[in-house]
Amino acid sequence: MQKHNQKEHLYKLLVIGDLGVGKTSIIKRYVHQNFSPHYRATIGVDFALKVLNWDAETVVRLQLWDIAGQERFGNMTRVYYREAMGAFIVFDVTRPATFEAVTKWKEDLDSKLVLPNGKPVPTVLLANKCDQGIDVLMNNGIKMDQFCKENGFVGWFETSAKENININEASRCLVKHIIASESDPVQSVEPDIIKPHLNSSKIVSCSACFKS
Amino acid sequence: PAALPPAPLGFTDVNLNSRNTYEVSRRRSAPEHLPHGGGGTAPAAPAPPPQEPPERARHRLGIAGAGSSFAEFFTRNFFTKRTKELKPAVQSAPGWKLFGKVPPRENLPKDSKIIQQEYEARTGRMYKPPAPSARRKNIEFEPLSTTALILEDRPANLPAKSVEEALRHRQEYDEMVAEAKKREIKEAHKRKKIMRERFKQEENIASAMVIWVNEILPNWEGMRATRRVRELWWQGLPPSVRGKVWSLAVGNELNITPELYEIFLSRAKERWKSFSETSSENDTEDAGASVADREASLELIKLDISRTFPSLYIFQKGGPYHDLLHSVLGAYTCYRPDVGYVQGMSFIAAVLILNLEEADAFIAFANLLNKPCQLAFFRVDHSMMLKYFAAFEVFFEENLPKLFLHFKSYSLTPDIYLIDWIFTLYSKSLPLDLACRVWDVFCRDGEEFLFRTGLGILRLYEDILLQMDFIHIAQFLTKLPEDITSEKLFSCIAAIQMQNSNKKWAQVFASLMKDNKEGDKNHSPAPKN
């Protein structure tokens, strides 16, 4: 059914973050449109494939690599990171320690993986389980924007795999940045200037994508 | 036993073929398939009530082995199986007034699966054995309702059927009846055959059990390596002796006693107590604590326990085995702080708990993890793991050269799929009953069998995998089909030769250990000899 002039992109995306933050749930929600509180722990890596009709001329195929969260496996992740084009780093808003680990995950990622142009891969930060951590981040919007800027995230979202909040949006944001970084190999996208959105609702809180 | 009456039929179904029973129950126990409090016929939760002591539960669940037929499923399975037999008679969907048998509608919105399941359960109950003869009658094709559809004259306001048309309808109708009868007979034959096989299987298990209990176990050391025992072993251990044989085969090099287990358990409990007292507010301050400390923490184990066989419902919070699993894992982190808790362990401990008493499960667990292969993986000793992968690839290429090349062309390395298989000893990737059978032979043959099983799986699905690209292979292998059967898998495993130019697994592995001394960092290319 594909038109002849249609472009197809294949992107490998990593989904990383501490154990039990909901990486698998986010992917299941995104790809299979469902949620279960009973997923099994991921050992090693799991896979999923999502096809997006990006626009009239572009089809985007996302290869999602769902990587086990235990720090101990750090040694093995290099193999999994290879040739990825973008990443989500996930933490659980109800467990502060998982947020502490975010910078570690980001450093680990950047140390093991760069784009062909030498730049770090576009990475979006996901504050998951926002349906449970009521208002944990609400007043920290500016702080989060600052955090993203300092740590080189292209944006952040409050997400809930359970309630299906912001997952599609987060993915679009990441893909947008990947496409931009691809089409402009020399200078990648200007890091988004963070606009505070004090009264932002939960539904849209990507500093990067919302400003346009 | 040519014609078994219906009741024992259901009975044998559950008892003999616990594998299938288990499969059914496993799928059915998936939460999304459960009727929410609705249909009174299907029990809402497969797990026994939490307050039941695990010991009793174990017995009641018959968990001693092969994959455990839950008592509750007894009824459920019984019904569904029977409904299947009756299918031609009741095939029409629920809610068709035409047939006069309309299951009472419930108002809850349900998906079609639930509806069908409830309907099956209900009809199963309706057909619940009045007497063998009456049931027989039910199976026979009853054309009444169909007659109403096809043979009836048209309503008065429409022109009557022509003679030809009436004749044609009569003929079509006769053909349909004949076809249905044929199908019915064919299915009856099939059922009989299946029953015969199951019966045979049960006899085999029963006689094997007698041999294990009366002959082998009393003379374990003398007999374990004999050809006869090894062959019997390959057939799968009878559930009732499975735990015992595993314990004996794994051994107790570490000389752990039940008392020692109690000591480590109480130490673990103290740590949890102090952990929960200092609790989460201090979390951030503790961030600097050593990795091992963090990993041994209550939270990590807790997080994983409820994600261990979630569909069984017995390890989750409030489930009968939740605390047991917690205890075994906690005691282990105190016993081996150098290893700590590593993901995957919860699955191994869970399988042991399903087959052994608490202290014995711990002893087997600690000794099992002390085997070189398990130690390499659970310490995440990456260079050692790569050597295991390299050895695996030697036999992969030897046994399945075409598939090996196919994988190579996508740079699809064993770290993509073997990690999960080895870390959980297949208990996560295969149906539990089948995983237990793999464990049986793993206890007999050692680590080599884990890799052989992996090759067996690849062989079983070789044709499908050859048609797939990278992402689909990766997805397939990290989530194997649920309908994989032990007969098929074991015949594929049996066909895998663990010989590479006269070298066996251990030799290949040893030579890799030597070879790779220099090129440690190189990524797992299998050396050619």
Side-chain angles (χ1 to χ4, degrees):
Chain A
M1 294 300 266
Q2 202 175 318
K3 281 174 253 160
H4 280 297
N5 54 352
Q6 216 169 24
K7 280 178 295 180
E8 193 172 297
H9 293 283
L10 174 65
Y11 298 132
K12 168 175 169 180
L13 304 186
L14 305 174
V15 184
I16 53 181
D18 266 7
L19 185 155
V21 295
K23 299 180 289 297
T24 303
S25 296
I26 288 175
I27 291 174
K28 295 268 153 113
R29 167 61 78 187
Y30 184 49
V31 176
H32 303 294
Q33 287 86 39
N34 59 25
F35 175 83
S36 152
H38 303 298
Y39 292 127
R40 298 176 300 178
T42 305
I43 315 288
V45 55
D46 280 343
F47 299 88
L49 183 64
K50 171 87 177 179
V51 181
L52 292 178
N53 290 312
W54 187 253
D55 55 36
E57 297 97 54
T58 324
V59 171
V60 173
R61 297 166 75 83
L62 301 176
Q63 217 178 66
L64 297 153
W65 290 50
D66 176 8
I67 294 169
Q70 193 172 11
E71 222 177 317
R72 190 77 69 88
F73 294 116
N75 283 334
M76 299 168 358
T77 50
R78 187 182 297 273
V79 188
Y80 299 149
Y81 288 178
R82 213 190 285 145
E83 288 169 21
M85 298 291 288
F88 294 106
I89 294 181
V90 188
F91 71 97
D92 173 353
V93 295
T94 66
R95 288 189 292 143
T98 64
F99 178 68
E100 312 280 321
V102 164
T103 44
K104 253 187 265 166
W105 281 105
K106 184 72 166 69
E107 280 162 19
D108 183 57
L109 180 68
D110 290 344
S111 70
K112 289 173 179 165
L113 179 70
V114 284
L115 293 176
N117 64 13
K119 299 233 158 58
V121 295
T123 305
V124 166
L125 180 62
L126 303 183
N128 195 38
K129 307 194 189 177
C130 71
D131 57 291
Q132 288 176 47
I134 309 146
D135 289 342
V136 175
L137 294 168
M138 272 305 247
N139 302 321
N140 283 331
I142 307 174
K143 262 196 199 161
M144 282 296 286
D145 292 345
Q146 189 65 29
F147 178 86
C148 283
K149 199 176 172 187
E150 280 165 10
N151 291 280
F153 288 94
V154 299
W156 70 281
F157 286 83
E158 284 178 282
T159 57
S160 164
K162 191 176 174 190
E163 303 296 335
N164 193 13
I165 298 172
N166 270 343
I167 292 168
N168 288 311
E169 289 80 356
S171 174
R172 289 198 79 81
C173 170
L174 183 58
V175 171
K176 196 181 84 181
H177 280 86
I178 293 171
I179 290 177
S181 71
E182 246 193 346
S183 61
D184 187 8
V186 189
Q187 72 182 114
S188 82
V189 224
E190 185 71 3
D192 291 291
I193 290 121
I194 312 301
K195 262 191 194 167
H197 37 266
L198 283 169
N199 48 2
S200 72
S201 76
K202 270 185 188 171
I203 306 299
V204 178
S205 54
C206 172
S207 51
C209 299
F210 195 48
K211 67 168 193 171
S212 54
Chain B
L4 284 168
L9 192 137
F11 185 76
T12 38
D13 178 20
V14 168
N15 268 348
L16 307 188
N17 207 351
S18 41
R19 171 162 38 76
N20 291 344
T21 315
Y22 177 70
E23 254 309 294
V24 169
S25 52
R26 211 166 72 124
R27 246 174 264 134
R28 269 162 205 278
S29 59
E32 60 269 29
H33 295 173
L34 281 177
H36 353 194
T41 46
Q51 66 273 20
E52 187 169 30
E55 220 3 79
R56 260 192 57 212
R58 197 200 315 268
H59 282 275
R60 208 162 53 79
L61 297 174
I63 268 173
S68 60
S69 35
F70 290 111
E72 278 89 344
F73 286 122
F74 196 99
T75 40
R76 200 187 290 192
N77 191 60
F78 177 81
F79 289 140
T80 39
K81 274 274 140 53
R82 303 240 304 107
T83 340
K84 231 189 207 161
E85 294 162 30
L86 299 169
K87 231 165 204 163
V90 297
Q91 211 156 24
S92 49
W96 275 49
K97 275 274 189 261
L98 211 63
F99 293 79
K101 272 179 204 149
V102 183
R105 231 177 234 294
E106 286 178 47
N107 290 326
L108 282 167
K110 288 170 190 157
D111 68 40
S112 58
K113 256 189 196 148
I114 294 170
I115 290 172
Q116 188 187 341
Q117 197 178 322
E118 291 189 350
Y119 177 67
E120 278 179 7
R122 213 174 269 127
T123 44
R125 181 190 241 178
M126 286 201 301
Y127 281 101
K128 197 173 171 184
S133 58
R135 178 175 162 270
R136 196 55 239 164
K137 209 179 148 203
N138 273 334
I139 279 190
E140 238 130 34
F141 194 82
E142 283 170 21
L144 290 172
S145 46
T146 332
T147 322
L149 271 183
I150 300 176
L151 296 183
E152 209 164 337
D153 288 333
R154 288 198 179 130
N157 58 341
L158 293 173
K161 287 180 186 177
S162 70
V163 182
E164 292 150 42
E165 200 177 9
L167 216 65
R168 205 180 66 232
H169 282 170
R170 160 65 67 184
Q171 199 184 346
E172 279 170 0
Y173 166 73
D174 285 344
E175 278 166 15
M176 280 163 66
V177 173
E179 193 55 43
K181 269 189 178 149
K182 239 201 280 176
R183 224 180 314 136
E184 176 61 30
I185 290 168
K186 221 167 123 192
E187 269 174 30
H189 275 301
K190 224 159 87 191
R191 278 199 308 276
K192 252 190 210 160
K193 205 179 140 205
I194 290 170
M195 288 321 300
R196 267 203 303 274
E197 274 163 18
R198 285 185 189 168
F199 201 76
K200 217 177 104 195
Q201 214 177 337
E202 186 191 17
E203 279 183 332
N204 285 344
I205 291 175
S207 67
M209 196 189 78
V210 173
I211 298 172
W212 280 100
V213 171
N214 294 340
E215 296 179 44
I216 304 169
L217 289 178
N219 308 298
W220 176 248
E221 285 307 328
M223 285 186 80
R224 63 180 292 180
T226 61
R227 200 168 157 196
R228 176 166 165 250
V229 170
R230 288 177 60 83
E231 270 167 17
L232 199 62
W233 204 332
W234 175 271
Q235 309 296 322
L237 298 170
S240 54
V241 299
R242 176 165 270 150
K244 183 78 194 151
V245 175
W246 286 0
S247 279
L248 286 167
V250 169
N252 189 3
E253 268 190 320
L254 299 167
N255 287 317
I256 301 171
T257 58
E259 291 74 32
L260 197 62
Y261 168 64
E262 289 302 329
I263 291 169
F264 285 115
L265 179 56
S266 60
R267 201 175 290 174
K269 282 181 175 159
E270 264 166 48
R271 272 177 68 178
W272 297 336
K273 226 174 99 196
S274 64
F275 180 87
S276 59
E277 273 161 12
T278 48
S279 132
S280 43
E281 287 107 61
N282 298 352
D283 237 17
T284 42
E285 290 168 38
D286 286 340
S290 81
V291 172
D293 265 8
R294 270 193 49 188
E295 294 198 347
S297 77
L298 183 64
E299 192 191 29
L300 223 63
I301 294 178
K302 233 184 202 156
L303 275 171
D304 266 4
I305 285 181
S306 54
R307 303 196 295 166
T308 307
F309 300 123
S311 58
L312 293 183
Y313 284 101
I314 51 181
F315 295 108
Q316 288 176 304
K317 228 182 207 145
Y321 289 177
H322 174 271
D323 295 349
L324 227 71
L325 184 53
H326 201 184
S327 298
V328 169
L329 292 171
Y332 184 77
T333 60
C334 289
Y335 173 68
R336 286 300 292 264
D338 60 321
V339 181
Y341 172 74
V342 183
Q343 287 198 292
M345 283 184 181
S346 62
F347 286 90
I348 296 182
V351 174
L352 290 169
I353 285 169
L354 291 175
N355 287 281
L356 285 161
E357 296 301 318
E358 182 172 351
D360 292 331
F362 177 78
I363 294 168
F365 182 70
N367 280 283
L368 192 62
L369 296 197
N370 202 45
K371 308 265 171 205
C373 175
Q374 275 59 49
L375 214 48
F377 276 77
F378 281 108
R379 279 180 162 158
V380 198
D381 179 342
H382 201 214
S383 67
M384 277 291 277
M385 287 164 70
L386 289 179
K387 275 164 202 154
Y388 278 104
F389 294 156
F392 172 80
E393 289 200 299
V394 169
F395 292 97
F396 186 1
E397 186 173 19
E398 177 86 24
N399 282 278
L400 305 162
K402 238 164 106 190
L403 192 64
F404 179 78
L405 281 179
H406 186 62
F407 278 27
K408 266 266 137 78
S409 72
Y410 288 116
S411 322
L412 205 149
T413 49
D415 8 35
I416 301 287
Y417 52 93
L418 260 188
I419 298 249
D420 180 42
W421 294 355
I422 302 297
F423 265 98
T424 64
L425 306 176
Y426 296 95
S427 56
K428 192 187 146 208
S429 1
L430 295 177
L432 192 48
D433 59 299
L434 189 43
C436 285
R437 279 208 58 193
V438 170
W439 283 42
D440 290 346
V441 189
F442 164 58
C443 288
R444 191 193 80 168
D445 293 358
E447 63 187 34
E448 168 184 333
F449 190 73
L450 295 178
F451 296 94
R452 195 178 177 194
T453 300
L455 293 172
I457 293 171
L458 295 180
R459 188 190 160 96
L460 176 58
Y461 296 114
E462 183 176 19
D463 294 340
I464 306 172
L465 292 169
L466 280 170
Q467 308 298 319
M468 290 182 176
D469 63 0
F470 174 89
I471 187 69
H472 290 100
I473 297 171
Q475 275 184 284
F476 186 90
L477 292 179
T478 49
K479 195 179 181 308
L480 295 170
E482 283 180 34
D483 59 1
I484 183 167
T485 69
S486 60
E487 290 79 12
K488 279 189 191 146
L489 178 59
F490 271 79
S491 73
C492 284
I493 296 173
I496 296 292
Q497 293 302 316
M498 293 307 266
Q499 286 267 347
N500 173 259
S501 21
N502 282 330
K503 281 158 101 189
K504 298 196 163 163
W505 169 267
Q507 292 164 303
V508 169
F509 187 71
S511 71
L512 281 163
M513 292 288 282
K514 243 188 276 157
D515 290 355
N516 280 25
K517 279 257 154 71
E518 321 90 53
D520 241 5
K521 291 283 169 239
N522 276 348
H523 180 66
S524 67
K528 310 271 145 56
N529 10 3

